[in-house]
Amino acid sequence: MIDAKIIDAAWRELKQSVVYFRGNPVGTVAARDPSAAELNYSQCFTRDFAVSALAFLMRGETDIVRNFLTVLVKLQSREKQMNCFKAGRGLMPASFTVQQSKNGEELVPDFGERAIARVAPVDSGFWWLILLRAYVQASGDVDLARKAEFQQAIKMIVELSLVARFDMYPTLLVPDGGYMIDRRMGVYGYPLDIQSLFFTALSAAQELLVGDETCLAAVADRLAHLAYHIRRYYWLDLRRLNAIYRYKVEEYGQNIVNEFNIYPETIPPALVDWMPSKGGYFAGNLGPARMDFRYFAQGNLLAVVSSLATAEQSQSIMDLIAQRWDDLIGQMPLKLCFPALEGRDWAIVTGSDPKNSPWSYHNGGSWPFLLWLLAAAAQMTGRTELAKRALETAADRLMVEDWSEYFDGREGRLLGKEARRFQSWTVAGFLSAQQLLANPTHLNLLRYDEKALQGCIQPTEGGGGN
Ligand code: GLC
């Protein structure tokens, strides 16, 4: 049982983080830590607010979410420029802030043109779509999504992400740092975290878009291919690992087994011992001769919640978490990715980034905001005991440590080296998880009807990944 005092304290914190624009609540700041350097934590981040929004929606406070959704439609890129080069039409901002001008308050978005390393947010539009759908579920206000400017916004996001480029995978090709992991971490290419978001967002678009049959057909087609690709090629368990271990390489033609030319030598030896006999997960990334064997929490858990994972795969992911508890949950949930990059791998892949040193921050640090996703995945699979245990592990310490942004060390025993205190999505992740576990019907905000996928997800051609 979570102490009611902690829950009350968390709500007080979240309320204090609310951002107002012309008198209306429109979002939450990323953090309210007076002792830390400012950077851009006083802004409202799209991905961070998504977690706050879920907490508010579950409590029946829908206005702030409606306002946020409306603000983002206004800010969505139509002609935003970076170094005189236009950001993709349809891009949603990574963050925005409210500034005083001669004419009163105005909203100033950041599409990555001021962000550290100038990373553009691939995920913002996806979170907006996921949130719009959750808002409609919670409030019953379908009319908002039907408004012409909202339909236009949905279409622009879909068009931006479905545009044909140079590659022929159904997965989305992205640069490094385009989402929650907004630094160089080897998550360029086809990272799982983005693919799960892409899939979930397309599922939302499929429900919300009306009338445009061409666009809807393109969405349905992509959903099916994406599910097929991820379920089949990203999946890792002992059986798959053994198959990869015995792969032949340099195969050419249609009916081959090792389609992506993965070299068995790239399997990390430690993984062979770490992979439990029961349990599995989706690999972190897959491209030509490249399989990233790291486990990423966000992509795997969102795959469970959105039904990108099959029911069987979802159970296996929860089995993995149960069996590798110390590594993936430890003393502070949840490990963002496992294992950490160390030594030369760290130097090459992160560009010697000291903030992402081994077992810190994005590189094997623990992020309590992810608790909501664990709770949702646990409800989805009937494994609520796992999420309850994680939430109870976290609750007292989160409050004592002032809702820290992240924790460091193999088991999350240390306070994150440069972590902000009073981080809004830490508070909101905790509150969303608590509400999801107390009332399973909240899952309706996040789960999707699998019917859309039926008939198209089964492999039709020969070959096979084994
Ligand atoms: C860090 C995180 C990013 C988050 C931001 C604000 O940059 O990597 O995911 O959105 O802080 O909390």
mmCIF file of all heavy atoms in Angstrom, residues 30-31 40-41 45 47-48 94 179-183 355 361-362 367 369 405 423 425, ligand 1:
data_model
loop_
_atom_site.group_PDB
_atom_site.id
_atom_site.type_symbol
_atom_site.label_atom_id
_atom_site.label_comp_id
_atom_site.label_asym_id
_atom_site.label_seq_id
_atom_site.Cartn_x
_atom_site.Cartn_y
_atom_site.Cartn_z
ATOM 1 N N ALA A 30 9.255 21.342 -16.897
ATOM 2 C CA ALA A 30 9.966 20.058 -16.770
ATOM 3 C C ALA A 30 10.415 19.837 -15.328
ATOM 4 O O ALA A 30 10.276 18.743 -14.792
ATOM 5 C CB ALA A 30 11.156 20.025 -17.713
ATOM 6 N N ALA A 31 10.956 20.883 -14.692
ATOM 7 C CA ALA A 31 11.411 20.741 -13.305
ATOM 8 C C ALA A 31 11.366 22.088 -12.599
ATOM 9 O O ALA A 31 11.459 23.133 -13.235
ATOM 10 C CB ALA A 31 12.828 20.170 -13.272
ATOM 11 N N ASN A 40 16.870 24.531 -19.934
ATOM 12 C CA ASN A 40 15.504 24.768 -20.412
ATOM 13 C C ASN A 40 14.467 23.991 -19.594
ATOM 14 O O ASN A 40 13.387 23.683 -20.073
ATOM 15 C CB ASN A 40 15.386 24.422 -21.908
ATOM 16 C CG ASN A 40 16.016 23.083 -22.221
ATOM 17 O OD1 ASN A 40 16.555 22.425 -21.333
ATOM 18 N ND2 ASN A 40 15.956 22.678 -23.467
ATOM 19 N N TYR A 41 14.819 23.684 -18.369
ATOM 20 C CA TYR A 41 13.903 22.898 -17.536
ATOM 21 C C TYR A 41 12.660 23.683 -17.096
ATOM 22 O O TYR A 41 11.716 23.102 -16.590
ATOM 23 C CB TYR A 41 14.624 22.332 -16.312
ATOM 24 C CG TYR A 41 15.439 21.090 -16.630
ATOM 25 C CD1 TYR A 41 16.712 21.180 -17.171
ATOM 26 C CD2 TYR A 41 14.917 19.822 -16.398
ATOM 27 C CE1 TYR A 41 17.449 20.045 -17.476
ATOM 28 C CE2 TYR A 41 15.647 18.675 -16.693
ATOM 29 C CZ TYR A 41 16.911 18.800 -17.228
ATOM 30 O OH TYR A 41 17.631 17.670 -17.517
ATOM 31 N N PHE A 45 7.914 20.662 -21.775
ATOM 32 C CA PHE A 45 8.333 19.704 -22.807
ATOM 33 C C PHE A 45 7.136 18.842 -23.212
ATOM 34 O O PHE A 45 6.385 18.384 -22.345
ATOM 35 C CB PHE A 45 9.440 18.784 -22.275
ATOM 36 C CG PHE A 45 10.797 19.386 -22.327
ATOM 37 C CD1 PHE A 45 11.160 20.399 -21.449
ATOM 38 C CD2 PHE A 45 11.735 18.950 -23.257
ATOM 39 C CE1 PHE A 45 12.426 20.967 -21.498
ATOM 40 C CE2 PHE A 45 13.004 19.503 -23.310
ATOM 41 C CZ PHE A 45 13.351 20.519 -22.436
ATOM 42 N N ARG A 47 7.042 15.730 -24.439
ATOM 43 C CA ARG A 47 7.077 14.343 -23.944
ATOM 44 C C ARG A 47 6.892 14.285 -22.425
ATOM 45 O O ARG A 47 6.275 13.369 -21.899
ATOM 46 C CB ARG A 47 8.365 13.644 -24.371
ATOM 47 C CG ARG A 47 9.630 14.131 -23.717
ATOM 48 C CD ARG A 47 10.846 13.336 -24.179
ATOM 49 N NE ARG A 47 11.244 13.687 -25.526
ATOM 50 C CZ ARG A 47 12.098 14.670 -25.832
ATOM 51 N NH1 ARG A 47 12.645 15.401 -24.888
ATOM 52 N NH2 ARG A 47 12.434 14.923 -27.081
ATOM 53 N N ASP A 48 7.424 15.277 -21.728
ATOM 54 C CA ASP A 48 7.279 15.276 -20.270
ATOM 55 C C ASP A 48 5.821 15.536 -19.895
ATOM 56 O O ASP A 48 5.272 14.897 -18.996
ATOM 57 C CB ASP A 48 8.135 16.382 -19.630
ATOM 58 C CG ASP A 48 9.637 16.173 -19.822
ATOM 59 O OD1 ASP A 48 10.049 15.846 -20.945
ATOM 60 O OD2 ASP A 48 10.386 16.339 -18.852
ATOM 61 N N ALA A 94 9.598 20.436 -29.397
ATOM 62 C CA ALA A 94 10.099 19.642 -28.265
ATOM 63 C C ALA A 94 9.601 20.263 -26.979
ATOM 64 O O ALA A 94 9.273 19.570 -26.014
ATOM 65 C CB ALA A 94 11.619 19.628 -28.271
ATOM 66 N N TYR A 179 14.500 11.760 -29.368
ATOM 67 C CA TYR A 179 13.349 11.527 -28.472
ATOM 68 C C TYR A 179 13.802 11.653 -27.027
ATOM 69 O O TYR A 179 14.668 12.467 -26.727
ATOM 70 C CB TYR A 179 12.689 10.191 -28.787
ATOM 71 C CG TYR A 179 13.546 8.961 -28.573
ATOM 72 C CD1 TYR A 179 13.334 8.148 -27.456
ATOM 73 C CD2 TYR A 179 14.551 8.604 -29.447
ATOM 74 C CE1 TYR A 179 14.101 7.009 -27.250
ATOM 75 C CE2 TYR A 179 15.328 7.481 -29.247
ATOM 76 C CZ TYR A 179 15.098 6.683 -28.150
ATOM 77 O OH TYR A 179 15.861 5.563 -27.934
ATOM 78 N N MET A 180 13.193 10.871 -26.132
ATOM 79 C CA MET A 180 13.524 10.991 -24.714
ATOM 80 C C MET A 180 15.042 10.941 -24.511
ATOM 81 O O MET A 180 15.595 11.678 -23.703
ATOM 82 C CB MET A 180 12.812 9.856 -23.964
ATOM 83 C CG MET A 180 12.956 9.899 -22.475
ATOM 84 S SD MET A 180 14.436 9.043 -21.987
ATOM 85 C CE MET A 180 14.779 9.831 -20.444
ATOM 86 N N ILE A 181 15.701 10.041 -25.218
ATOM 87 C CA ILE A 181 17.166 9.994 -25.190
ATOM 88 C C ILE A 181 17.626 11.053 -26.192
ATOM 89 O O ILE A 181 17.757 10.777 -27.378
ATOM 90 C CB ILE A 181 17.687 8.585 -25.534
ATOM 91 C CG1 ILE A 181 17.154 7.584 -24.502
ATOM 92 C CG2 ILE A 181 19.213 8.575 -25.607
ATOM 93 C CD1 ILE A 181 17.588 6.156 -24.715
ATOM 94 N N ASP A 182 17.822 12.277 -25.681
ATOM 95 C CA ASP A 182 18.070 13.391 -26.597
ATOM 96 C C ASP A 182 19.551 13.733 -26.700
ATOM 97 O O ASP A 182 19.942 14.881 -26.853
ATOM 98 C CB ASP A 182 17.227 14.616 -26.196
ATOM 99 C CG ASP A 182 17.411 14.996 -24.731
ATOM 100 O OD1 ASP A 182 18.258 14.377 -24.056
ATOM 101 O OD2 ASP A 182 16.724 15.911 -24.266
ATOM 102 N N ARG A 183 20.371 12.702 -26.569
ATOM 103 C CA ARG A 183 21.819 12.843 -26.749
ATOM 104 C C ARG A 183 22.313 11.670 -27.559
ATOM 105 O O ARG A 183 21.630 10.662 -27.684
ATOM 106 C CB ARG A 183 22.526 12.757 -25.395
ATOM 107 C CG ARG A 183 22.255 13.923 -24.563
ATOM 108 C CD ARG A 183 22.819 13.732 -23.190
ATOM 109 N NE ARG A 183 22.780 15.007 -22.552
ATOM 110 C CZ ARG A 183 23.833 15.766 -22.296
ATOM 111 N NH1 ARG A 183 25.044 15.347 -22.550
ATOM 112 N NH2 ARG A 183 23.700 16.935 -21.755
ATOM 113 N N LYS A 355 28.027 13.157 -19.147
ATOM 114 C CA LYS A 355 26.709 13.031 -18.516
ATOM 115 C C LYS A 355 26.165 11.608 -18.696
ATOM 116 O O LYS A 355 25.430 11.101 -17.858
ATOM 117 C CB LYS A 355 25.740 14.070 -19.102
ATOM 118 C CG LYS A 355 24.520 14.277 -18.229
ATOM 119 C CD LYS A 355 23.763 15.553 -18.498
ATOM 120 C CE LYS A 355 22.508 15.585 -17.626
ATOM 121 N NZ LYS A 355 21.658 16.743 -17.841
ATOM 122 N N TYR A 361 22.368 8.522 -16.031
ATOM 123 C CA TYR A 361 21.499 9.235 -16.982
ATOM 124 C C TYR A 361 20.919 8.276 -18.036
ATOM 125 O O TYR A 361 20.335 7.268 -17.666
ATOM 126 C CB TYR A 361 22.306 10.386 -17.584
ATOM 127 C CG TYR A 361 21.479 11.513 -18.149
ATOM 128 C CD1 TYR A 361 20.427 12.079 -17.454
ATOM 129 C CD2 TYR A 361 21.780 12.040 -19.418
ATOM 130 C CE1 TYR A 361 19.694 13.137 -17.991
ATOM 131 C CE2 TYR A 361 21.061 13.096 -19.958
ATOM 132 C CZ TYR A 361 20.010 13.640 -19.242
ATOM 133 O OH TYR A 361 19.306 14.682 -19.783
ATOM 134 N N HIS A 362 21.099 8.587 -19.329
ATOM 135 C CA HIS A 362 20.500 7.699 -20.338
ATOM 136 C C HIS A 362 21.252 6.375 -20.471
ATOM 137 O O HIS A 362 20.730 5.414 -21.031
ATOM 138 C CB HIS A 362 20.525 8.360 -21.721
ATOM 139 C CG HIS A 362 19.800 9.669 -21.798
ATOM 140 N ND1 HIS A 362 20.282 10.731 -22.526
ATOM 141 C CD2 HIS A 362 18.636 10.086 -21.263
ATOM 142 C CE1 HIS A 362 19.441 11.756 -22.441
ATOM 143 N NE2 HIS A 362 18.431 11.394 -21.670
ATOM 144 N N TRP A 367 15.037 5.719 -14.270
ATOM 145 C CA TRP A 367 14.114 6.846 -14.464
ATOM 146 C C TRP A 367 12.728 6.506 -13.915
ATOM 147 O O TRP A 367 11.950 5.793 -14.572
ATOM 148 C CB TRP A 367 14.022 7.187 -15.947
ATOM 149 C CG TRP A 367 15.286 7.757 -16.502
ATOM 150 C CD1 TRP A 367 16.457 7.090 -16.735
ATOM 151 C CD2 TRP A 367 15.511 9.126 -16.892
ATOM 152 N NE1 TRP A 367 17.395 7.962 -17.255
ATOM 153 C CE2 TRP A 367 16.834 9.206 -17.364
ATOM 154 C CE3 TRP A 367 14.718 10.272 -16.897
ATOM 155 C CZ2 TRP A 367 17.390 10.407 -17.830
ATOM 156 C CZ3 TRP A 367 15.266 11.463 -17.372
ATOM 157 C CH2 TRP A 367 16.587 11.520 -17.827
ATOM 158 N N PHE A 369 10.066 8.151 -13.920
ATOM 159 C CA PHE A 369 8.879 8.582 -14.686
ATOM 160 C C PHE A 369 8.293 7.420 -15.476
ATOM 161 O O PHE A 369 7.120 7.402 -15.822
ATOM 162 C CB PHE A 369 9.226 9.770 -15.610
ATOM 163 C CG PHE A 369 9.735 9.370 -16.972
ATOM 164 C CD1 PHE A 369 8.862 9.097 -18.016
ATOM 165 C CD2 PHE A 369 11.104 9.247 -17.211
ATOM 166 C CE1 PHE A 369 9.333 8.718 -19.282
ATOM 167 C CE2 PHE A 369 11.579 8.866 -18.459
ATOM 168 C CZ PHE A 369 10.690 8.606 -19.493
ATOM 169 N N GLU A 405 14.961 13.511 -10.889
ATOM 170 C CA GLU A 405 14.798 13.192 -12.312
ATOM 171 C C GLU A 405 15.240 11.763 -12.634
ATOM 172 O O GLU A 405 14.561 11.028 -13.341
ATOM 173 C CB GLU A 405 15.636 14.205 -13.101
ATOM 174 C CG GLU A 405 15.586 14.089 -14.597
ATOM 175 C CD GLU A 405 16.555 15.075 -15.265
ATOM 176 O OE1 GLU A 405 17.423 15.641 -14.563
ATOM 177 O OE2 GLU A 405 16.434 15.272 -16.484
ATOM 178 N N GLN A 423 11.172 17.125 -10.397
ATOM 179 C CA GLN A 423 11.000 16.879 -11.830
ATOM 180 C C GLN A 423 9.543 16.455 -12.043
ATOM 181 O O GLN A 423 9.076 15.470 -11.469
ATOM 182 C CB GLN A 423 11.968 15.761 -12.250
ATOM 183 C CG GLN A 423 11.965 15.440 -13.709
ATOM 184 C CD GLN A 423 12.865 16.360 -14.529
ATOM 185 O OE1 GLN A 423 13.739 17.036 -13.985
ATOM 186 N NE2 GLN A 423 12.644 16.393 -15.827
ATOM 187 N N TRP A 425 7.758 15.030 -14.453
ATOM 188 C CA TRP A 425 7.316 13.713 -14.934
ATOM 189 C C TRP A 425 7.676 12.581 -13.967
ATOM 190 O O TRP A 425 7.109 11.499 -14.067
ATOM 191 C CB TRP A 425 7.697 13.448 -16.379
ATOM 192 C CG TRP A 425 9.152 13.283 -16.738
ATOM 193 C CD1 TRP A 425 10.247 13.467 -15.963
ATOM 194 C CD2 TRP A 425 9.620 12.898 -18.050
ATOM 195 N NE1 TRP A 425 11.381 13.237 -16.693
ATOM 196 C CE2 TRP A 425 11.036 12.881 -17.968
ATOM 197 C CE3 TRP A 425 9.007 12.553 -19.251
ATOM 198 C CZ2 TRP A 425 11.819 12.542 -19.071
ATOM 199 C CZ3 TRP A 425 9.796 12.222 -20.335
ATOM 200 C CH2 TRP A 425 11.177 12.215 -20.245
HETATM 201 C C1 GLC B 1 16.314 15.640 -20.558
HETATM 202 C C2 GLC B 1 15.747 14.310 -21.006
HETATM 203 C C3 GLC B 1 14.522 14.549 -21.893
HETATM 204 C C4 GLC B 1 13.512 15.405 -21.160
HETATM 205 C C5 GLC B 1 14.155 16.711 -20.676
HETATM 206 C C6 GLC B 1 13.243 17.525 -19.807
HETATM 207 O O1 GLC B 1 16.827 16.344 -21.643
HETATM 208 O O2 GLC B 1 16.690 13.559 -21.705
HETATM 209 O O3 GLC B 1 13.971 13.329 -22.266
HETATM 210 O O4 GLC B 1 12.420 15.659 -21.995
HETATM 211 O O5 GLC B 1 15.314 16.425 -19.924
HETATM 212 O O6 GLC B 1 12.874 16.800 -18.676
#
